[in-house]
Amino acid sequence: MKLSEIAKLLNARVVCGQERLNEEQDIVFASDLMSEVLTLDDNFPMIVTGLCTMQTIRTCEMGNLDIIVFVRKKKPTPEMIELAEDNGMVLLECDYSMFKACGLLWEAGLKSIY
C-alpha cells in the first residue's frame, strides 16, 4: 500500500517525508518499547507507536525503521522532526489509538512483522 494511502486510511497528517508518499509499504510493527525495535531483523517495517521522544527517532534510525506513525494524538517536537528529516524518515501523526490504527492497517491488508 502506498504511504499516501496509509496516511489517508489513518486520517494522519504527514509531518515530514512528503517526497516518499508514493513508496509502497506492506509490513507493520507496533510497540511503545523501543528495546523491541533493536531486536528486529532487516524487514524494514513501518512502526506504529505512542512513544513520541527523541529516543524514538534515534532508536528507529539504529534499527533501520524509517517510517513512524505516532498514534494517540502525539506530536513530534521540532527537534524530532529535524532529526527525522536529516535521516530521510517519514513521520505521520494519527489521532487514533494504537489498537484502532493497527486494526485499520490489518484490515487494509498490511502484514504483521511476526
Side-chain angles (χ1 to χ4, degrees):
M1 176 178 272
K2 287 187 178 184
L3 292 176
S4 60
E5 296 170 319
I6 290 171
K8 184 176 180 179
L9 177 70
L10 297 177
N11 197 28
R13 184 174 82 83
V14 181
V15 178
C16 68
Q18 291 84 354
E19 67 280 357
R20 294 184 53 200
L21 292 181
N22 283 328
E23 291 181 18
E24 296 280 334
Q25 181 63 36
D26 63 346
I27 300 174
V28 180
F29 178 70
S31 182
D32 285 343
L33 296 173
M34 289 300 108
S35 59
E36 290 184 359
V37 169
L38 298 176
T39 67
L40 300 175
D41 293 332
D42 290 335
N43 293 319
F44 309 108
M46 171 176 74
I47 186 168
V48 178
T49 186
L51 186 64
C52 192
T53 66
M54 279 294 277
Q55 193 60 35
T56 303
I57 306 296
R58 294 202 182 279
T59 304
C60 287
E61 176 188 10
M62 289 173 38
N64 293 318
L65 281 79
D66 62 356
I67 305 165
I68 306 171
V69 179
F70 292 109
V71 293
R72 301 191 301 260
K73 301 181 183 181
K74 301 295 176 93
K75 308 259 185 248
T77 65
E79 294 81 14
M80 292 171 62
I81 295 167
E82 181 179 355
L83 182 59
E85 288 174 337
D86 289 347
N87 286 287
M89 294 178 164
V90 176
L91 299 184
L92 303 174
E93 292 177 355
C94 174
D95 289 349
Y96 299 150
S97 68
M98 186 182 300
F99 181 80
K100 182 172 182 173
C102 290
L104 290 169
L105 294 168
W106 177 265
E107 189 175 60
L110 277 81
K111 300 174 186 104
S112 171
I113 193 165
Y114 299 122

